[in-house]
Amino acid sequence: MRMFKYTNLLIIGKNILDIQVPQCCNLRKFSNAYDLDLKLNGISLNNYVRSIQNEYFNICKGNSENKDNSWSFITPVGRLLEERDKVIQNLNNLTELLNENDKDLKSMALEEKIQWEENINNIDNQLISTLLPFDENEHNSMVLEVNSGVGGQEAMLFAKEIFNMYCNFIHYKGWQLEIADYQETDLGGIRHASALVDGNSVFKFFKHETGVHRVQRTPATEKSGRIHTSTVTVVALPQPTDIEIKINPKDLKIETKRATGAGGQHVNTTDSAVRISHIPTGIVVECQVDRSQIKNRKIAMAKLNALLYEKELNNQTADTEAARKSQVKSNFRNEKIRTYNFNQDRITDHRLQGVNINNLKGFLLGGEQLEDLIETLDYNNKVNKLLDIVQNFNKQS
């Protein structure tokens, strides 16, 4: 399991619970010296692990009623516990050698003991990694949107910097990017920009960027040196996968018009811009980034598909949205998630306590620093979900 420099969540200790292991599948009762003690943020996972271990025992015996549904999750945990037990048996077998008077034998036994204890620590780390919930929404396609918020022209300038940061990050990851909309201002900022992104688990990364990004800096036009605060909103919409979206052509109102803004004489004098209205939901999408009306229509339909998917996803998860505090849901976009303070050369992500990142200009290049922060956010999010599961389990048991 990769551990990131912004994260300090995993604590492995000893001697809390003596897990009772069923006598099946080579499972044995653990030695007291190496009792399993898994903790996350000070919360013990042992009772939860014990229940998984007992279910693994039932599966081995053929007593589980939900073998098909449980096997994929329980088996890795059960097998890691089996492996851990074998390591402990090897440690126990070293007892006599550790008491030998022969210094060479005793030295070799001590070296072997250290190796086996490292193996236990590695297995415990693997157990934590295996217990972390799998994200079902790690889609390979999405629509990314960046919108300027409060702050006028300064917000629009910052929106362009954020959008460029994400474009650089997409190229850094080797994903495919297609600009769907780009509304530039006279001063070089953007009111709105959107893109279609394809790549391995792209939504896993960008769902943690969804929300309000705040910038604090002194604009170049500010003569008195005052610090201005502006905001930008980022939205990531997963492209449909398991949820089937059916669009009836009769429900669409498709209009063409001349494109506005920068783009050249040909773009501005032909009806290449496309506007699609989905009558049942009232959702409207536009695209005017290409000279080809056919390509603009294709991109607009992709955006509409993504918006309808998000609407259906929110409908399906409405009952659990508040409890799970998902970072993907639409209400999360109204929350301030990150502050970029140019005067102090500092980035603060408000979802991670005590995490401040320096080298702001380097961060905005959209490379390794952004990747490390997003992966830390993803790990932290999974830890919080696991702790919710464990706490609910402890309440019910």
Side-chain angles (χ1 to χ4, degrees), residues 147-152 155-156 159 190-191 230-233:
N147 301 286
S148 62
V150 178
M156 296 176 191
I190 58 172
R191 293 184 176 85
S230 306
T231 62
V232 168
T233 302

Side-chain angles (χ1 to χ4, degrees), residues 72-263:
S72 61
F73 169 68
I74 293 172
T75 298
V77 175
R79 287 177 177 171
L80 282 170
L81 292 172
E82 284 185 310
E83 183 180 348
R84 192 181 195 277
D85 187 38
K86 291 176 182 177
V87 172
I88 293 174
Q89 294 305 312
N90 289 329
L91 279 165
N92 290 337
N93 292 336
L94 291 175
T95 303
E96 292 184 6
L97 291 176
L98 290 170
N99 294 325
E100 281 282 342
N101 292 326
D102 188 312
K103 291 183 178 180
D104 290 336
L105 278 176
K106 188 172 183 178
S107 177
M108 291 174 60
L110 282 171
E111 289 181 7
E112 191 171 348
K113 178 175 180 287
I114 292 173
Q115 291 179 356
W116 287 124
E117 287 177 341
E118 288 179 355
N119 285 347
I120 289 178
N121 189 61
N122 290 335
I123 291 171
D124 288 345
N125 285 336
Q126 290 179 53
L127 279 168
I128 293 287
S129 181
T130 304
L131 289 169
L132 293 176
F134 175 76
D135 194 336
E136 298 177 354
N137 292 320
E138 294 188 352
H139 302 278
N140 295 328
S141 299
M142 68 164 198
V143 174
L144 173 68
E145 295 185 357
V146 174
N147 301 286
S148 62
V150 178
Q153 289 292 338
E154 178 64 15
M156 296 176 191
L157 290 169
F158 185 59
K160 183 175 182 178
E161 292 179 69
I162 291 294
F163 187 71
N164 288 342
M165 176 183 73
Y166 290 138
C167 290
N168 290 337
F169 183 66
I170 290 166
H171 291 304
Y172 167 77
K173 296 292 291 182
W175 297 329
Q176 293 182 353
L177 170 71
E178 186 173 16
I179 303 297
D181 196 5
Y182 196 84
Q183 300 175 16
E184 194 169 13
T185 67
D186 294 336
L187 295 181
I190 58 172
R191 293 184 176 85
H192 166 81
S194 62
L196 308 180
V197 187
D198 291 305
N200 185 31
S201 298
V202 294
F203 189 65
K204 167 191 172 182
F205 288 83
F206 276 97
K207 68 181 179 182
H208 300 297
E209 296 300 290
T210 299
V212 175
H213 296 240
R214 183 176 68 173
V215 59
Q216 294 177 322
R217 63 182 174 188
T218 303
T221 56
E222 178 57 61
K223 297 181 180 179
S224 62
R226 290 183 304 170
I227 297 176
H228 286 222
T229 298
S230 306
T231 62
V232 168
T233 302
V234 176
V235 177
L237 306 174
Q239 287 278 39
T241 52
D242 53 336
I243 295 178
E244 185 177 357
I245 301 298
K246 293 182 179 180
I247 300 178
N248 190 334
K250 296 181 179 179
D251 293 334
L252 299 179
K253 180 182 179 183
I254 302 177
E255 303 168 274
T256 59
K257 60 179 182 177
R258 291 183 180 180
T260 58

Side-chain angles (χ1 to χ4, degrees), residues 143 145 179-183 192-196 253-260 272-278 283-290 293 295-304 307:
V143 174
E145 295 185 357
I179 303 297
D181 196 5
Y182 196 84
Q183 300 175 16
H192 166 81
S194 62
L196 308 180
K253 180 182 179 183
I254 302 177
E255 303 168 274
T256 59
K257 60 179 182 177
R258 291 183 180 180
T260 58
S272 59
V274 175
R275 175 187 175 98
I276 301 178
S277 303
H278 188 248
I283 295 175
V284 179
V285 293
E286 293 185 5
C287 184
Q288 58 176 24
V289 296
D290 198 84
Q293 184 185 119
K295 187 172 182 180
N296 285 337
R297 176 169 175 165
K298 179 182 177 181
I299 294 173
M301 284 298 296
K303 290 175 63 177
L304 175 61
L307 289 168

